[in-house]
Amino acid sequence: MKVYNTLTRSKEDLVPLTPGEIRMYSCGVTVYDISHVGHARMMVVFDVISRYLRFAGYRVTFVRNFTDIDDKIIRRANQEGVDAGEISERYIAAFRDDIAALGVQAPEVEPKATRHVAEMIALIERLVAGGYAYVVDGDVYFEIRRFPPYGRLSGKNLEELLVGARVEVDERKRDPRDFALWKSAKPGEPSWPSPWGPGRPGWHIECSAMAMKHLGTPIDIHGGGDDLIFPHHECEIAQSEAATGKPFARYWLHNGMINMGAEKMSKSLGNTLWIREILKRHDADAVRLWILGTHYRNPLEFAEERLAEAGRALERLWGPVLEAKKYAETAGADALPRDLAAYREDFVAAMDDDFNTPQALGVLFEMARALNRRDGRSAQDFVRGTRELATMLAALGFREPTPARADMPRELSEQVRSLIRERAAARASRDWSRADQLRAELARLEVTVKDTPQGTDWEWKGLRATEGS
RNA sequence: GGCGGCGUACCCAAGUGGUUAAGGGAGCGGACUGCAAAUCCGCGAUGCGGCGGUUCGAAUCCGCCCGCCGCCUCCA
């Protein structure tokens, strides 16, 4: 399996530290507001990466943090006159709801920064003791010059960083590029006791502390949005490696941003679209298909029409799997016919190449078409093939659609069944105008009918049902 | 200004040296159907931003140019 490593700017063979085991960490969200579609992409991307690694046979331990203490959380808490903890807990709950709705699996560990202050303090103490950090008036800064590899991950040249620096000059810092490990408490801010006085951790230190605590050193994979490469991940490397003298993470994976029109979606630009808003208009798996339709490292432009297209394409992928439900045949343990077995090989080859989901999906679309075509295949082989297809769809995190009647309001379901029965009677007596009239009525209820020799199937909002004859 | 990346059919999007340039959506034609829907078959870029170059051979490598984006500040 090959992955693109930001650290080396090349695709490398993925060789875990411990054979058969992957320890991965990805930066989560700062919980001061509802999560947007950009967060959804990152969550879906790393969800698929962790799922696929498991599919490929690795034992995966996945850790994704919550940044639950930060300037913006404090500001919001002050605006609302509540505690910072109340804000962060509120948005953690909202985040979990949104992410679960998207079908993203919970990682093994979801650590919160505020529960790891002791670990962060210990790490900072090591840095101070090692001469990598210095204390000024209760603040602690990491001294960039003491860690020569600083800038390697992001490809920054230290001199140019200084020249083009947009950082505000703080006379107390030895170098404007030094970054805060610990910030002394200001009035009205939550704080923790420390050897340097009451204060709170800087942003970067939490991920170092939590990743090392829950996964050890070095970890195999560290991920996040590509906007975190600098300064966040650069600083994580500096702190962690200066403190331990060991490599921090072996492979750095970064997903591309979502753009609104030509611009990046971001909270500071105010062009965000909430996950919960988009889920009101589109099926969660349509959102997933839309995201996976572009390689994770490329930028992805948001457009309502792309989501609608993904919804239609999704039905195509599940079509044969749902069709197979009509067969009583058990799949048995026989091997798949050679021509159907080949699709998994292609799927695996695509995913093994830096998680090339667009290509992998192309394979699944081709497999769906081959199954629909039948080609004189036995019902058993057809059913076996659809199970294989379903397995690969599940490896990408797609959930098999449930029968429509389970999800629709009882009254509506009754009404639809009665209209369909009435239409069947009209068709039986060859009263085509009455039958078409009933179909139009069903269409107004967003129900599409499909007549088959065995009876009438129907769909409601992309969900399917069979009504027998 | 520095670093990184992108430009492939009507739209989206894989492919980065060698068969007929995947796949999806939309469209058009056909099969099936009472008519539809779904499904299947067929059509659709002689060309991959432009111009040069390297090569037996380039969308893929090199140079220049045009257009666009990201990071360099909090950000997924």
Side-chain angles (χ1 to χ4, degrees):
Chain A
M1 191 182 300
K2 287 188 182 296
V3 300
Y4 182 87
N5 189 352
T6 305
L7 200 52
T8 57
R9 300 189 189 288
S10 61
K11 277 188 203 172
E12 297 175 17
D13 284 316
L14 178 66
V15 182
L17 190 65
T18 307
E21 222 170 277
I22 296 280
R23 287 167 306 141
M24 61 185 279
Y25 181 94
S26 87
C27 292
V29 291
T30 301
V31 279
Y32 70 99
D33 204 350
I34 301 288
S35 296
H36 59 67
V37 177
H39 300 121
R41 183 183 194 190
M42 189 257 186
M43 295 304 149
V44 168
V45 162
F46 286 97
D47 181 54
V48 168
I49 288 174
S50 66
R51 283 174 189 268
Y52 183 71
L53 290 170
R54 291 188 171 101
F55 176 87
Y58 288 107
R59 279 206 311 287
V60 177
T61 308
F62 182 23
V63 178
R64 187 184 59 216
N65 74 296
F66 284 112
T67 298
D68 61 346
I69 185 66
D70 137 282
D71 290 351
K72 292 186 283 286
I73 294 171
I74 293 167
R75 192 191 317 142
R76 183 136 193 170
N78 290 340
Q79 278 167 3
E80 296 189 20
V82 301
D83 260 23
E86 191 173 326
I87 297 294
S88 60
E89 287 306 314
R90 180 199 304 165
Y91 291 112
I92 284 173
F95 172 84
R96 287 199 166 120
D97 284 349
D98 292 345
I99 285 317
L102 279 172
V104 171
Q105 282 179 331
E108 274 66 29
V109 190
E110 293 184 278
K112 297 174 187 173
T114 52
R115 300 283 187 79
H116 294 75
V117 174
E119 286 84 351
M120 292 187 241
I121 289 173
L123 197 54
I124 297 169
E125 283 186 301
R126 285 172 78 176
L127 291 168
V128 172
Y132 291 102
Y134 55 93
V135 183
V136 187
D137 304 331
D139 291 340
V140 185
Y141 293 99
F142 185 92
E143 189 166 9
I144 249 75
R145 267 175 304 184
R146 300 277 295 123
F147 188 77
Y150 190 82
R152 182 173 161 223
L153 178 72
S154 53
K156 304 284 181 212
N157 169 314
L158 289 187
E159 306 315 311
E160 281 157 0
L161 262 183
L162 194 54
V163 172
R166 288 193 272 171
V167 291
E168 42 187 297
V169 179
D170 181 340
E171 293 301 330
R172 303 173 314 151
K173 289 202 259 182
R174 292 182 188 168
D175 186 306
R177 299 164 299 187
D178 292 348
F179 59 90
L181 295 167
W182 187 262
K183 301 174 172 182
S184 58
K186 297 182 190 66
E189 286 185 356
S191 67
W192 287 260
S194 84
W196 319 285
R200 60 193 169 92
W203 175 33
H204 314 303
I205 196 70
E206 63 173 83
C207 288
S208 293
M210 291 187 275
M212 290 196 278
K213 175 181 181 182
H214 296 286
L215 295 169
T217 308
I219 61 175
D220 294 302
I221 293 175
H222 190 124
D226 66 18
D227 56 348
L228 297 185
I229 294 171
F230 189 90
H232 187 52
H233 290 164
E234 195 73 70
C235 295
E236 280 186 52
I237 292 174
Q239 297 160 347
S240 308
E241 301 194 352
T244 65
K246 290 197 284 187
F248 173 52
R250 297 151 59 80
Y251 304 92
W252 286 86
L253 273 50
H254 292 99
N255 64 278
M257 298 291 102
I258 284 186
N259 295 154
M260 290 295 270
E263 274 184 328
K264 169 182 164 184
M265 177 183 293
S266 88
K267 290 178 187 173
S268 49
L269 290 174
N271 59 357
T272 59
L273 186 63
W274 291 348
I275 294 169
R276 50 188 56 185
E277 287 304 315
I278 212 66
L279 287 178
K280 284 180 187 165
R281 298 196 291 273
H282 301 282
D283 179 79
D285 279 355
V287 175
R288 179 174 288 255
L289 183 59
W290 167 63
I291 289 171
L292 299 183
T294 295
H295 186 86
Y296 77 89
R297 287 194 278 116
N298 294 340
L300 172 57
E301 185 171 333
F302 175 82
E304 207 72 50
E305 178 55 20
R306 293 291 89 70
L307 274 293
E309 282 178 8
R312 280 171 289 209
L314 189 63
E315 291 191 47
R316 190 171 177 68
L317 286 171
W318 284 113
V321 177
L322 299 180
E323 183 66 18
K325 300 233 171 287
K326 294 180 181 173
Y327 292 77
E329 269 78 12
T330 51
D334 296 355
L336 274 176
R338 175 68 213 153
D339 65 317
L340 289 182
Y343 292 104
R344 183 188 284 245
E345 293 167 25
D346 292 346
F347 174 79
V348 166
M351 290 300 288
D352 278 357
D353 183 16
D354 194 29
F355 311 105
N356 192 334
T357 53
Q359 193 160 69
L361 285 166
V363 173
L364 300 189
F365 279 112
E366 284 177 342
M367 184 175 189
R369 176 147 36 87
L371 287 165
N372 284 332
R373 196 189 298 131
R374 298 305 174 88
D375 289 336
R377 239 184 278 284
S378 70
Q380 274 207 346
D381 281 350
F382 175 71
V383 172
R384 266 197 283 270
T386 62
R387 290 194 182 172
E388 180 83 342
L389 176 57
T391 299
M392 291 186 275
L393 286 167
L396 297 178
F398 292 104
R399 293 167 288 186
E400 189 169 317
T402 52
R405 257 181 293 159
D407 283 324
M408 69 197 296
R410 185 179 191 80
E411 258 177 53
L412 181 58
S413 164
E414 296 295 326
Q415 189 184 358
V416 168
R417 290 179 67 182
S418 131
L419 286 169
I420 288 195
R421 274 197 298 270
E422 198 180 332
R423 179 164 170 277
R427 293 183 71 225
S429 54
R430 307 180 67 79
D431 183 354
W432 307 128
S433 67
R434 177 64 185 148
D436 290 348
Q437 189 190 333
L438 288 160
R439 178 164 54 200
E441 226 169 290
L442 285 157
R444 279 194 292 276
L445 302 172
E446 295 185 87
V447 170
T448 311
V449 300
K450 303 176 182 183
D451 299 323
T452 76
Q454 288 77 39
T456 297
D457 291 353
W458 51 276
E459 278 185 23
W460 177 69
K461 295 186 175 177
L463 301 167
R464 303 184 184 206
T466 301
E467 204 52 54
S469 44

